[in-house]
Amino acid sequence: MPELKVVRAPVAENREVAPGVFLLRLEGRFVAEPGQFFMLRAWERDPLLARPMSVFDLSPQALAFLYAVRGRGTALLANLRLGDQVKLWGPLGQGWKRVPGRIALVGGGMGLAPLLWTAKQFGSPLDVYLGFRHRPWMVEVFRSLADHVHVRSEVGAPGCTQGLVTEAFSPRGYAACYACGPKPLLLELHRMCQEAEVPLYVSLEERMACGVGACLGCTVWTRSGPKRVCSDGPVFPAAEVFFDALP
Amino acid sequence: MPELKVVRAPVAENREVAPGVFLLRLEGRFVAEPGQFFMLRAWERDPLLARPMSVFDLSPQALAFLYAVRGRGTALLANLRLGDQVKLWGPLGQGWKRVPGRIALVGGGMGLAPLLWTAKQFGSPLDVYLGFRHRPWMVEVFRSLADHVHVRSEVGAPGCTQGLVTEAFSPRGYAACYACGPKPLLLELHRMCQEAEVPLYVSLEERMACGVGACLGCTVWTRSGPKRVCSDGPVFPAAEVFFDALP
Amino acid sequence: MPSLEVQIGSLRLKNPVMAAAGTFGFGQEYREFFDISALGAICAKTVTLRARTGNPPPRLWETPCGLLNSIGLENPGIETFLKEELPKMRKLGTVIVASIWGEEPGDYGALAAAVDKADVEAIELNVSCPNVPGKGFVGAQAGFTADVVRSARAATTKPLWVKLAPEGEVLAAALAAQEAGAQALCIANTFRAMAIDISTGRPVFANVLAGLSGPAIKPLALRWVYELFPRVEVPLIASGGITTWQDAVEFIMAGARAVQVGTGNFVDPLCTLTMVEGLKKFLEERNLECWEVIRGCAHRR
Amino acid sequence: MPSLEVQIGSLRLKNPVMAAAGTFGFGQEYREFFDISALGAICAKTVTLRARTGNPPPRLWETPCGLLNSIGLENPGIETFLKEELPKMRKLGTVIVASIWGEEPGDYGALAAAVDKADVEAIELNVSCPNVPGKGFVGAQAGFTADVVRSARAATTKPLWVKLAPEGEVLAAALAAQEAGAQALCIANTFRAMAIDISTGRPVFANVLAGLSGPAIKPLALRWVYELFPRVEVPLIASGGITTWQDAVEFIMAGARAVQVGTGNFVDPLCTLTMVEGLKKFLEERNLECWEVIRGCAHRR
Ligand SMILES: Cc1cc2nc3c(=O)[nH]c(=O)nc-3n(C[C@H](O)[C@H](O)[C@H](O)COP(=O)(O)OP(=O)(O)OC[C@H]3O[C@@H](n4cnc5c(N)ncnc54)[C@H](O)[C@@H]3O)c2cc1C
Ligand SMILES: Cc1cc2nc3c(=O)[nH]c(=O)nc-3n(C[C@H](O)[C@H](O)[C@H](O)COP(=O)(O)OP(=O)(O)OC[C@H]3O[C@@H](n4cnc5c(N)ncnc54)[C@H](O)[C@@H]3O)c2cc1C
Ligand SMILES: Cc1cc2nc3c(=O)[nH]c(=O)nc-3n(C[C@H](O)[C@H](O)[C@H](O)COP(=O)(O)O)c2cc1C
Ligand SMILES: Cc1cc2nc3c(=O)[nH]c(=O)nc-3n(C[C@H](O)[C@H](O)[C@H](O)COP(=O)(O)O)c2cc1C
Ligand code: FES
Ligand code: FES
């Protein structure tokens, strides 16, 4: 039985929440597990491909994405206005699975996108670590969900400790850690977690065409051979995908 | 000295005035002679080309087009909303020149688009003949400009005489006639005007790429060789372009 | 009720819309979106004698109305395909075409022999993958193509289709394939093309060249179908930028018996389904009983 | 202040952006939009020995991110060009390149002899127009190209550029042109392609085949520039889907000395001007003094 639908959903909100970062809310009844994503398009034939976007938040009436404007596709998304239609399909991919015990969610910049819905679904005991280059944003929504929210700004910002998120974070004492963000951050977290022998799950990004596992375009090398980020991931155990990155 | 500008103008109005026919008003100071056109685009890279559109109306604050939704480009135009930006350049082409004396403007369907601004600029003595397939539209705006407005509906419509516009029209007594519309209409008008020895000027349509005379893509055959619709026209003496169409 | 059916050599398809090799996996992914039995056929991802891990990432790059790919034939190998994937594919309720690729003509024979015993309706010989490094891929080659088809022909009685590259000796390779026993020709695989990432100054792909697909290439692929139609006897299967039913009609009018949809599946997972529905409406509205009347009509004077 | 200048054989251009032949008329139309002296050069519409009326309409058809044209070299003939158009072109304040086409190699010699006495900086030999019917155009041909260049070379001392087709014996024709005395190669003209109007079931163009241009072909043209760069000595001038400064940088990184903008002019009359400005900013922001550092950088290992 077909289970995935390609739908058009109207824009209920599309608001700049930080410089170049938008919150897009689409009306409709959707389901998604933490860490899953959708393929989105809001244009005709060019750009050719849909864009993968993690589920940021979900309610019985709407599905929300948090996205940074990077290139043409996200610039077009940023132009969307109330009532405009977005075509999307999902939820796609293998998200994160909760491990019992106290866990840590670590996000670097846009990497926080998949963490909100995850925090909501996973629940306490859970701590959140967020790192930003400049001024933090979207931090408040995490406060009521996490036991502790640690925020760092690389260059410093009013009311925010200056530093790297990895300086605020230590894996010790966590049953597992879940991270999304730039590759160097993920590698450093991997190093720390390996040392502390705490399992780390990372959400990866690769260029995608189909988003569903059919084209083999989004492959990453893993300990057990090539895997598709879109359907075998985007979440992988860090040890599976960073096997060759360690000294 | 460069005289033509490529500008972005915001949409001040984009309203369906008849089934599938829209009035698009763009804010800005423009100039144009009767029968001239602009190249318009309101999309990025696809569709690739701009669309030629005749000047429908002009005021010190705005420029108006009247267009029918035919394919992808005009469908995208129809989606424009208040404040959206349209890129355009013009005015382009050779419009109609007024001949002294009583004149007739004849429009078939969308062919009425270039006639309003023409009627406004040319002024009385002037009659207007408009033909529609079904229900007439945009007729009222001509009433105050013309001495007589004759309207026909091919299949008939409430309050409108049934028939072809050519049945309402006779060239006799006019110093010149100006027509725009489907080719068969133009050919029939040409036949009538030839017989009556009244000069007829027609506005032609051809697929265009540059719109400015550089690509030679919009050529029509004329009595004096190939001519560019975009820059030698779109208005031509009917006898120039329909020389081979007569028995 | 018009019939959408088409005859490809000895094989009858319920309609002319197929999923193209390498863009539809082994059919399981799109099963989640719609009932695949609506399609005329699906071509499985190309398989090779041994499993291949394919090319390193990145493997994809978007271009204007097009897609560059450098997958490099990642596949689990013929054995796993036949044992694990094919049984699942069979349940999809439509014609299954196996696609095979080898380094040498003999590989095609070995692969065809393996497929011969399996439950597939046809075999597509992929002699046109632009993404396999170091194998000296230089477009369509008549001699090589003939050798490949002969080798496969000797190993199986199943219908053989040959998928050609859109450059090189296209016509000669088409004639050679036909002569050697191909029942149909697929025109064409992706076009060799490339991209440079200007932020690094390096070619995007490790292999430099990649294959261009998508709407951008439609006018180029159409040209080849049109040019080959009057010159070959066997049915032509069109591939290249076909994403709408109108595209499909354009290729059928140029002479194609059927069409394959590749990149279109990525643009919209329901692309093929919508195409089948559009084609049905087209025949109904034009009052056509079947495809005969319009197939190749663009050639009539 | 970085220098945007480029050297094409014996000719120095103030920047690498040119208008492509046939898309910029004789320069007068775009003069209405901007000061043409901002451009590195303009290539005039291709002219022939006698005036040509060109192909019957329709001559244009839009495709996904592309444009098919079948102009058929409509032009007023060499004499009118030199007498009426060139004097006006000279006032534009930039380098003028004449483009010529003939049926026989000898025609190119006759045309080059006529241009030799005129005030143009270079001559582009168009041996790649896909829209001239009945002349058996079959892509790049080494022998024919060599004959054409030799014939022109004997008739003029002006720099000769050769504009090649992107199919056929591309490399061989490039080498032949170079050998016969071409100072630069333009890669490439439009790709042969076609469209069918499904409402009539007929090919859109009277000639059936037409030339495909625009962003759709960019990855294909880039491939040819990249492939030829290490194999030829003379400068390469890129043409094919170049509409932004980023596109221009991509081609320069592939090895192009300069770029020609065709369809981009239709998309936006200020396309070339914006490109020049973008390239200037690019050099400034990257702190590059000139093009040397990045030209062909995609080839470095
Ligand atoms: C599973 C997954 C989830 C994601 N979730 C989010 C999210 O929640 N918020 C968010 O801001 N971004 C997210 N991204 C990244 C986002 O998809 C890209 O930023 C976006 O595709 C860029 O599109 P563009 O047209 O603006 O950029 P362009 O550079 O113009 O895009 C060109 C092509 O490259 C692809 N591409 C470019 N950057 C990336 C990237 N980083 N990852 C994957 N493909 C890329 C595009 O999809 C497109 O096909 C996610 C990526 C993946 C793979
Ligand atoms: C000088 C001139 C003035 C015009 N003025 C008006 C006007 O005031 N109102 C109006 O409704 N229409 C006008 N037209 C026609 C209008 O340009 C086309 O209807 C429009 O371009 C169709 O675009 P599309 O994308 O919707 O159709 P598509 O069929 O998708 O367009 C595909 C291509 O064909 C071209 N094309 C399609 N139909 C025509 C046509 N009839 N004439 C020229 N090119 C065409 C398009 O420009 C485009 O390049 C005018 C045409 C010309 C040449
Ligand atoms: C990601 C991708 C993978 C492909 N893999 C294969 C393959 O394994 N075997 C094959 O014969 N063709 C392969 N192709 C080519 C397609 O089957 C098709 O012929 C080509 O993409 C042109 O059609 P399109 O424009 O509809 O995509 C692949 C194409 C893409 C885009
Ligand atoms: C309408 C049109 C007319 C052209 N005429 C000529 C011509 O006369 N001579 C020539 O050498 N190339 C001609 N070309 C080819 C262009 O110069 C250019 O090489 C080609 O269009 C590819 O570049 P583009 O994608 O930037 O348009 C023409 C192209 C177009 C679109
Ligand atoms: S994007 Fe196609 S397999 Fe992942
Ligand atoms: S559209 Fe280019 S010359 Fe008329």
Side-chain angles (χ1 to χ4, degrees):
Chain A
M1 267 295 94
E3 281 166 18
L4 283 167
K5 284 201 165 60
V6 180
V7 299
R8 278 174 194 282
V11 173
E13 182 177 4
N14 191 30
R15 184 168 50 89
E16 191 162 10
V17 295
V21 179
F22 288 72
L23 176 77
L24 172 66
R25 212 151 44 81
L26 301 179
E27 240 175 271
R29 288 189 75 82
F30 294 91
V31 294
E33 286 173 24
Q36 285 192 302
F37 69 98
F38 281 73
M39 294 295 280
L40 272 73
R41 59 187 301 137
W43 48 81
E44 278 192 87
R45 204 162 48 183
D46 186 82
L48 186 65
L49 302 170
R51 300 313 196 229
M53 287 291 160
S54 299
V55 171
F56 174 61
D57 203 1
L58 194 56
S59 78
Q61 297 82 37
L63 171 61
F65 301 97
L66 191 72
Y67 65 94
V69 173
R70 297 254 188 260
R72 293 180 65 225
T74 47
L76 288 169
L77 289 182
N79 276 340
L80 290 173
R81 289 183 292 174
L82 282 193
D84 283 349
Q85 301 279 327
V86 175
K87 198 170 185 172
L88 74 166
W89 51 97
L92 304 171
Q94 312 301 322
W96 347 71
K97 302 277 172 284
R98 200 192 196 305
V99 166
R102 173 162 298 274
I103 58 170
L105 309 187
V106 188
M110 273 314 303
L112 72 78
L115 300 184
L116 184 72
W117 179 235
T118 305
K120 284 194 178 174
Q121 293 293 94
F122 282 6
S124 193
L126 168 155
D127 298 330
V128 170
Y129 297 82
L130 301 174
F132 300 88
R133 190 164 307 270
H134 303 100
R135 210 182 266 274
W137 38 268
M138 270 293 153
V139 167
E140 294 316 309
V141 292
F142 284 94
R143 299 241 185 247
S144 62
L145 301 168
D147 300 314
H148 300 276
V149 179
H150 305 268
V151 184
R152 288 294 180 277
S153 164
E154 241 180 276
V155 303
C160 178
T161 315
Q162 188 181 340
L164 298 171
V165 67
T166 43
E167 292 164 16
F169 170 77
S170 160
R172 310 222 177 255
Y174 289 113
C177 301
Y178 303 79
C180 184
K183 188 91 177 268
L185 168 65
L186 299 185
L187 286 173
E188 175 60 11
L189 291 172
H190 175 48
R191 198 193 53 73
M192 295 167 79
C193 288
Q194 286 276 86
E195 224 177 77
E197 292 180 25
V198 171
L200 170 68
Y201 298 89
V202 294
S203 181
L204 300 184
E205 292 188 1
E206 254 312 324
R207 282 160 194 275
M208 294 182 176
C210 70
V212 301
C215 74
L216 307 183
C218 64
T219 300
V220 280
W221 257 246
T222 74
R223 198 180 287 277
S224 38
K227 290 264 162 108
R228 299 160 300 180
V229 170
C230 68
S231 49
D232 299 316
V235 171
F236 294 94
E240 271 293 301
V241 287
F242 297 148
F243 64 99
D244 57 351
L246 286 180
Chain B
M1 269 294 95
E3 281 167 17
L4 283 169
K5 285 203 165 60
V6 180
V7 299
R8 277 174 196 281
V11 173
E13 182 177 3
N14 192 29
R15 184 167 50 90
E16 191 163 10
V17 294
V21 179
F22 288 73
L23 176 78
L24 172 67
R25 211 151 45 81
L26 301 179
E27 239 176 88
R29 289 189 74 82
F30 294 91
V31 293
E33 286 173 24
Q36 284 192 303
F37 69 98
F38 281 74
M39 293 295 280
L40 272 73
R41 58 187 302 137
W43 47 83
E44 279 193 85
R45 206 161 48 182
D46 185 83
L48 186 66
L49 301 170
R51 300 313 196 228
M53 287 292 160
S54 299
V55 171
F56 174 62
D57 203 1
L58 193 58
S59 79
Q61 296 83 37
L63 171 60
F65 300 96
L66 191 72
Y67 64 93
V69 174
R70 299 251 188 261
R72 292 180 65 224
T74 47
L76 288 169
L77 289 182
N79 275 340
L80 290 173
R81 288 183 291 175
L82 282 194
D84 283 350
Q85 300 279 326
V86 175
K87 198 169 187 174
L88 73 168
W89 51 96
L92 304 170
Q94 312 300 322
W96 347 71
K97 302 277 172 281
R98 200 192 196 303
V99 167
R102 173 163 298 274
I103 58 170
L105 308 186
V106 188
M110 273 314 303
L112 72 77
L115 300 184
L116 183 72
W117 179 236
T118 305
K120 283 194 180 176
Q121 292 294 93
F122 281 6
S124 191
L126 169 155
D127 298 329
V128 170
Y129 298 81
L130 301 175
F132 300 87
R133 190 164 306 270
H134 303 100
R135 210 183 266 274
W137 38 266
M138 271 294 152
V139 167
E140 293 316 308
V141 291
F142 283 94
R143 299 241 185 246
S144 62
L145 301 167
D147 301 314
H148 301 277
V149 178
H150 306 268
V151 184
R152 290 292 180 277
S153 163
E154 241 180 276
V155 302
C160 178
T161 316
Q162 188 182 341
L164 297 171
V165 67
T166 43
E167 292 164 15
F169 171 77
S170 160
R172 310 223 176 253
Y174 288 114
C177 301
Y178 302 79
C180 184
K183 189 91 175 270
L185 168 64
L186 299 183
L187 286 172
E188 175 60 11
L189 291 171
H190 176 46
R191 197 192 54 73
M192 295 168 79
C193 288
Q194 286 276 85
E195 222 177 79
E197 291 181 26
V198 172
L200 170 69
Y201 299 90
V202 293
S203 181
L204 299 184
E205 292 188 0
E206 254 311 324
R207 282 160 195 274
M208 295 182 175
C210 71
V212 301
C215 74
L216 308 184
C218 63
T219 300
V220 280
W221 256 247
T222 73
R223 199 181 286 278
S224 39
K227 291 264 163 107
R228 300 160 299 182
V229 170
C230 68
S231 51
D232 299 316
V235 171
F236 294 94
E240 272 292 300
V241 287
F242 297 148
F243 63 98
D244 57 351
L246 286 181
Chain C
M1 270 294 285
S3 162
L4 285 165
E5 291 187 7
V6 294
Q7 186 79 29
I8 314 266
S10 56
L11 199 60
R12 197 150 187 91
L13 308 186
K14 62 183 100 170
N15 66 59
V17 180
M18 312 185 198
T23 66
F24 216 73
F26 297 112
Q28 301 310 306
E29 291 79 10
Y30 286 99
R31 192 174 55 89
E32 304 264 315
F33 289 96
F34 67 99
D35 181 353
I36 307 294
S37 71
L39 302 186
I42 48 183
C43 297
K45 172 73 191 171
T46 298
V47 295
T48 48
L49 281 173
R50 272 165 301 281
R52 289 179 58 91
T53 52
N55 294 337
R59 293 177 169 188
L60 300 168
W61 192 259
E62 213 181 30
T63 72
C65 289
L67 173 66
L68 286 166
N69 90 77
S70 178
I71 310 297
L73 295 185
E74 175 181 336
N75 79 88
I78 180 78
E79 219 173 296
T80 307
F81 163 64
L82 293 176
K83 212 161 58 197
E84 287 172 28
E85 300 296 344
L86 187 55
K88 284 185 279 174
M89 285 188 92
R90 281 277 47 133
K91 298 199 183 121
L92 297 174
T94 187
V95 165
I96 305 297
V97 181
S99 169
I100 58 177
W101 179 92
E103 297 186 34
E104 313 282 333
D107 296 351
Y108 288 87
L111 286 157
V115 178
D116 184 60
K117 296 176 281 294
D119 190 11
V120 305
E121 280 86 353
I123 305 176
E124 191 172 85
L125 306 174
N126 175 0
V127 289
S128 46
C129 179
N131 296 319
V132 201
K135 300 296 181 296
F137 174 86
V138 292
Q141 299 160 75
F144 178 73
T145 302
D147 291 345
V148 164
V149 179
R150 271 194 294 266
S151 171
R153 186 69 296 162
T156 180
T157 55
K158 292 204 188 279
L160 294 177
W161 303 353
V162 176
K163 185 165 179 179
L164 295 173
E167 63 173 319
E169 310 167 5
V170 182
L171 175 59
L175 295 173
Q178 171 178 290
E179 168 85 22
Q183 266 200 11
L185 299 172
C186 175
I187 313 295
N189 213 312
T190 50
F191 286 72
R192 282 193 296 173
M194 70 174 289
I196 291 170
D197 183 344
I198 66 169
S199 68
T200 63
R202 308 273 318 129
V204 166
F205 300 105
N207 273 356
V208 181
L209 295 195
L212 182 63
S213 65
I217 65 170
K218 192 189 72 165
L220 299 163
L222 186 69
R223 169 236 166 150
W224 280 118
V225 171
Y226 184 92
E227 293 214 344
L228 289 182
F229 179 70
R231 295 182 174 81
V232 302
E233 305 286 322
V234 297
L236 297 178
I237 299 164
S239 165
I242 301 167
T243 67
T244 65
W245 68 261
Q246 290 93 334
D247 295 339
V249 169
E250 211 176 337
F251 278 89
I252 291 168
M253 288 174 160
R257 192 72 58 120
V259 300
Q260 293 185 349
V261 176
T263 306
N265 298 304
F266 313 153
V267 173
D268 182 346
L270 302 182
C271 180
T272 48
L273 186 67
T274 312
M275 193 177 290
V276 172
E277 285 161 5
L279 290 175
K280 186 152 167 262
K281 252 209 200 127
F282 169 81
L283 285 187
E284 279 166 8
E285 282 172 10
R286 293 271 191 124
N287 239 323
L288 297 169
E289 307 234 311
C290 61
W291 294 109
E292 256 50 56
V293 188
I294 66 154
R295 182 180 307 122
C297 69
H299 292 268
R300 288 178 209 137
R301 288 284 138 184
Chain D
M1 270 295 284
S3 162
L4 286 166
E5 291 188 6
V6 294
Q7 187 79 29
I8 315 266
S10 56
L11 200 60
R12 197 151 187 91
L13 307 186
K14 62 184 99 170
N15 66 57
V17 180
M18 312 185 197
T23 66
F24 216 73
F26 298 110
Q28 302 310 305
E29 292 79 11
Y30 286 100
R31 190 175 57 89
E32 304 265 316
F33 289 96
F34 66 99
D35 181 353
I36 307 293
S37 72
L39 302 186
I42 47 183
C43 298
K45 172 73 191 172
T46 299
V47 294
T48 48
L49 281 174
R50 273 165 299 280
R52 288 179 57 91
T53 51
N55 293 338
R59 292 177 169 189
L60 300 169
W61 191 259
E62 214 181 28
T63 71
C65 287
L67 173 66
L68 286 166
N69 89 77
S70 178
I71 310 296
L73 295 184
E74 175 181 337
N75 80 87
I78 180 78
E79 219 173 297
T80 307
F81 164 64
L82 294 176
K83 211 160 60 196
E84 287 171 27
E85 300 295 345
L86 187 56
K88 284 184 280 173
M89 285 188 91
R90 281 277 47 133
K91 298 197 183 122
L92 297 174
T94 188
V95 166
I96 305 296
V97 181
S99 169
I100 58 178
W101 180 91
E103 296 185 35
E104 313 282 332
D107 296 351
Y108 287 87
L111 286 157
V115 179
D116 184 60
K117 296 176 281 294
D119 190 11
V120 306
E121 280 85 354
I123 305 175
E124 191 172 85
L125 306 174
N126 174 1
V127 290
S128 45
C129 179
N131 295 320
V132 201
K135 299 296 180 298
F137 174 86
V138 289
Q141 299 161 76
F144 178 73
T145 303
D147 291 346
V148 164
V149 179
R150 269 194 295 266
S151 170
R153 186 68 297 162
T156 180
T157 56
K158 292 204 189 281
L160 295 177
W161 302 354
V162 176
K163 185 165 179 179
L164 295 173
E167 64 172 319
E169 311 166 5
V170 181
L171 175 59
L175 295 173
Q178 171 178 290
E179 168 86 21
Q183 266 199 13
L185 299 172
C186 175
I187 313 295
N189 214 313
T190 50
F191 286 72
R192 282 193 295 173
M194 71 174 288
I196 291 169
D197 184 343
I198 64 168
S199 69
T200 63
R202 308 274 317 128
V204 166
F205 299 106
N207 274 355
V208 181
L209 296 195
L212 182 64
S213 66
I217 65 170
K218 192 188 73 165
L220 300 163
L222 186 70
R223 170 236 166 150
W224 280 118
V225 170
Y226 184 92
E227 293 215 344
L228 289 182
F229 179 70
R231 295 181 174 83
V232 301
E233 306 285 322
V234 296
L236 298 178
I237 300 164
S239 165
I242 301 166
T243 67
T244 65
W245 67 262
Q246 290 93 334
D247 294 338
V249 169
E250 210 177 337
F251 277 88
I252 291 168
M253 288 174 161
R257 191 71 59 119
V259 300
Q260 293 185 348
V261 176
T263 306
N265 298 303
F266 314 152
V267 173
D268 181 348
L270 302 181
C271 180
T272 49
L273 185 68
T274 312
M275 193 178 288
V276 172
E277 285 161 5
L279 290 175
K280 187 153 167 262
K281 251 208 200 128
F282 169 80
L283 285 187
E284 281 166 8
E285 282 171 10
R286 293 270 190 125
N287 239 324
L288 296 170
E289 308 234 310
C290 61
W291 294 111
E292 256 50 54
V293 190
I294 64 154
R295 183 181 306 121
C297 68
H299 293 269
R300 287 176 210 138
R301 290 283 138 184

